[in-house]
Amino acid sequence: MRRKDREVTDEKIISQIFRDCRYVNLGFVDRDGYAYILPLNYGYEEKDGVRTLYFHSAKSGKKIDLINGRGKCSFELVNGEKVYGDGVSGCSYASAFKCIMGHGEIEFISGRRETLHALDSLMSHYEPGKKFDYKPEMLKAICVYKMTVKDLTCKVHE
């Protein structure tokens, strides 16, 4: 990281940013070598020092094909975005933000117990403390997967 003065290594702050962000951008490399980046809702879990992000989607599409093809992805979370300046000089403007970027391995979840755990994690990210039921027909219609975070960097500029 170029700006070491903005680097965050405190695990508590990093975990809080994971909890505070609303969306994650996942990035894959397609067969033609282009980046395929998409925003997703996510669930977050940290257990025994391992960070896991949970997702769900339809069972088919480009994202599913890319997961099947490689099982690796990059991710980015951004929170607290704000632009500020003196209102006179364009060169005086800056952005405040909290950002985590990294890589992970992504895999599909097939067992009922782990599927329900993933969906509960996802839902509790947006509705903490609530319990949800999942209709059997919906469980059959969706694909659930998780990304195990392998490495990350965190940067804060306030």
Side-chain angles (χ1 to χ4, degrees):
M1 180 177 300
R2 185 181 64 84
R3 293 292 306 261
K4 293 290 187 185
D5 60 317
R6 295 181 182 166
E7 182 177 22
V8 173
T9 57
D10 184 311
E11 294 295 326
K12 289 181 183 179
I13 294 171
I14 293 169
S15 295
Q16 189 62 51
I17 294 170
F18 270 107
R19 287 189 297 273
D20 290 345
C21 286
R22 306 310 288 162
Y23 306 96
V24 62
N25 292 308
L26 289 188
F28 299 91
V29 177
D30 70 15
R31 288 185 178 91
D32 296 323
Y34 289 102
Y36 181 69
I37 303 165
L38 62 154
L40 293 172
N41 298 93
Y42 68 97
Y44 172 70
E45 180 177 65
E46 192 173 334
K47 188 175 182 182
D48 300 325
V50 176
R51 291 182 168 97
T52 305
L53 302 179
Y54 295 100
F55 313 98
H56 80 289
S57 68
K59 290 185 174 186
S60 62
K62 186 170 184 171
K63 170 180 61 237
I64 301 302
D65 294 342
L66 292 169
I67 293 170
N68 275 322
R70 297 194 112 175
K72 295 182 180 184
C73 67
S74 297
F75 70 94
E76 173 200 50
L77 299 114
V78 180
N79 195 10
E81 311 87 11
K82 180 174 61 173
V83 176
Y84 59 91
D86 65 10
V88 178
S89 171
C91 294
S92 73
Y93 279 75
S95 294
F97 59 87
K98 297 174 182 175
C99 177
I100 298 175
M101 296 172 52
H103 304 94
E105 294 181 5
I106 198 160
E107 61 185 297
F108 295 106
I109 295 171
S110 58
R112 179 172 173 77
R113 186 174 182 197
E114 193 174 7
T115 294
L116 294 175
H117 175 78
L119 292 173
D120 285 342
S121 173
L122 200 147
M123 294 307 300
S124 70
H125 185 79
Y126 299 95
E127 293 284 347
K130 282 184 110 176
K131 296 290 183 194
F132 291 90
D133 292 325
Y134 306 101
K135 296 178 181 178
E137 61 271 16
M138 291 306 295
L139 291 175
K140 290 179 184 176
I142 63 171
C143 181
V144 180
Y145 40 104
K146 67 181 179 180
M147 180 185 65
T148 304
V149 175
K150 294 300 180 186
D151 62 80
L152 63 81
T153 58
C154 180
K155 185 176 183 178
V156 173
H157 181 225
E158 297 182 291

